[in-house]
Amino acid sequence: MVPKSHKKKGSDSIMAQIKYIDSVRTAIKRQWVETAQTALELAKKEENLTQMFLFEEHLYIANKYRTFADRQLCDSIRLHYAKEMVQTAMQIEDADTIGIAITHYMDAMKHLGRETDMEAILKKVRSVESFVHNPDKYAKILCVIARKYSAIGDNDNAKKYLSKALYLSIKGNAETTEVTGRRAAQQLLDKGEIKEAVQTYYSVLLMRDSVVKEKDEARATQQEADEVFLHNMGLWVALVLVIICGTWGFWHFHRKQRVGSRAFRSEISMLRETIAQHEENLQKLEKSETENREEILAQKKTIEKLKNTIVERLSIGKNIYEELCKGNCLPYDIKGAESYLIDYYAIFVPEKYKKWSQEYEGLTPHMYTYLILMDMNYSDSDIQRILSISPSSLRSLRSRIMAKKKCE
């Protein structure tokens, strides 16, 4: 028979443990709410969401508290916090943030051994007004979900949501580069290479977001410049002379540099130089003793985005090269098709590209394309057909190339 004193001690111990767990619950919930609210305010403050990675950091902090809670609380509490993440993300109406929140929710459901009711979640997403008229944003969320399913080995669901994302993106006003990337992803999907297809299309979406961001920033800069101009209209008399002189100088300089500006410069080489600069900055940040986690993450994301852009350029260049090998015409519906082709050729047939660079000076993309076709042993008539030019244009092109040849 257990003595009463022992029973009382055991009861007190249990009560103390319950109080401790309750205090932990309260502290974690308060910390999560404060963190999520701070992130929400930051996101709303930045109308163009350029600082959205800050919200990801707050989610990371919140997730650390949630992980600590796993050791103290039941799984249902973990799921509760995951749902709060999704609800907070919905208020921000940003595709990246919602995608991150949904993947946290999927992890919580998996930990419980339950299947995520994805259709119910997506129904709420579709009700968000900013996604109703913008299928591209909704397509990105679907792609993030497909990427998550692919990571956990659920290829059926990964294929399902990637297919939906690809279908939705057809409705958007996609640029030529995005269309090519989408086709590459679809081809991989058709071959059953689910993980590669998801990653390919996700890279395309990241590149598209980067382009959109640059355009928005350029538009904002232009708007600010216009406002400054209107504000200073009172000085127009003095500015007229400055503008005339500046315009003449710009025209004169532009005319002088016009021939050289058309010369080809490898986009991949410039991207690699940019990557090297960011990697150097990253090394300096990592060696410094200051708190710069946000800057380090921003540098890593920029480097990853630039590397994905290189892979995308090579993929498009390879597709163009293979079409030319089949005797098909140069796809002029792809903006900058010749530059993609030359970048690919410079990487995979470097000896030829190096030789041309040494023999000629200031070759344009059109001239390089002619040399590539000549290297592929095409006749003059084939080159005319592939480039869609007349015999006289071909003779003129050949003459201009010879004029670019360096003197011995």
Side-chain angles (χ1 to χ4, degrees), residues 2-14:
V2 180
K4 291 184 178 179
S5 59
H6 286 185
K7 286 184 178 180
K8 185 176 182 181
K9 288 181 180 179
S11 177
D12 292 342
S13 176
I14 292 173

Side-chain angles (χ1 to χ4, degrees), residues 138-239:
Y138 186 57
K140 186 170 188 182
I141 294 174
L142 294 174
C143 186
V144 171
I145 294 171
R147 194 163 179 250
K148 179 64 177 179
Y149 275 123
S150 175
I152 62 178
D154 189 345
N155 286 334
D156 290 338
N157 274 318
K159 182 176 181 180
K160 172 184 174 182
Y161 288 103
L162 178 59
S163 297
K164 288 184 178 180
L166 291 170
Y167 174 75
L168 272 177
S169 65
I170 296 174
K171 299 179 180 179
N173 296 321
E175 296 184 356
T176 306
T177 303
E178 184 180 344
V179 172
T180 305
R182 186 178 66 220
R183 288 174 182 170
Q186 186 64 59
Q187 290 173 359
L188 289 169
L189 191 63
D190 294 339
K191 293 178 183 178
E193 299 176 10
I194 310 299
K195 191 171 184 178
E196 292 78 3
V198 172
Q199 189 56 44
T200 297
Y201 189 57
Y202 186 69
S203 299
V204 171
L205 294 178
L206 289 178
M207 183 172 63
R208 182 199 66 194
D209 289 349
S210 176
V211 172
V212 171
K213 178 181 176 182
E214 290 175 0
K215 288 182 178 179
D216 289 342
E217 290 176 350
R219 191 180 299 111
T221 302
Q222 184 60 46
Q223 184 178 357
E224 183 179 352
D226 292 342
E227 291 174 356
V228 171
F229 176 76
L230 292 173
H231 181 71
N232 293 283
M233 279 294 290
L235 302 175
W236 69 271
V237 176
L239 289 176

Side-chain angles (χ1 to χ4, degrees), residues 317-325 341 344-345 372 376:
K318 180 182 178 182
N319 292 337
I320 295 173
Y321 176 75
E322 290 174 350
E323 289 299 314
L324 294 181
C325 288
L341 171 66
Y344 173 78
Y345 213 80
I372 291 172
M376 295 168 72

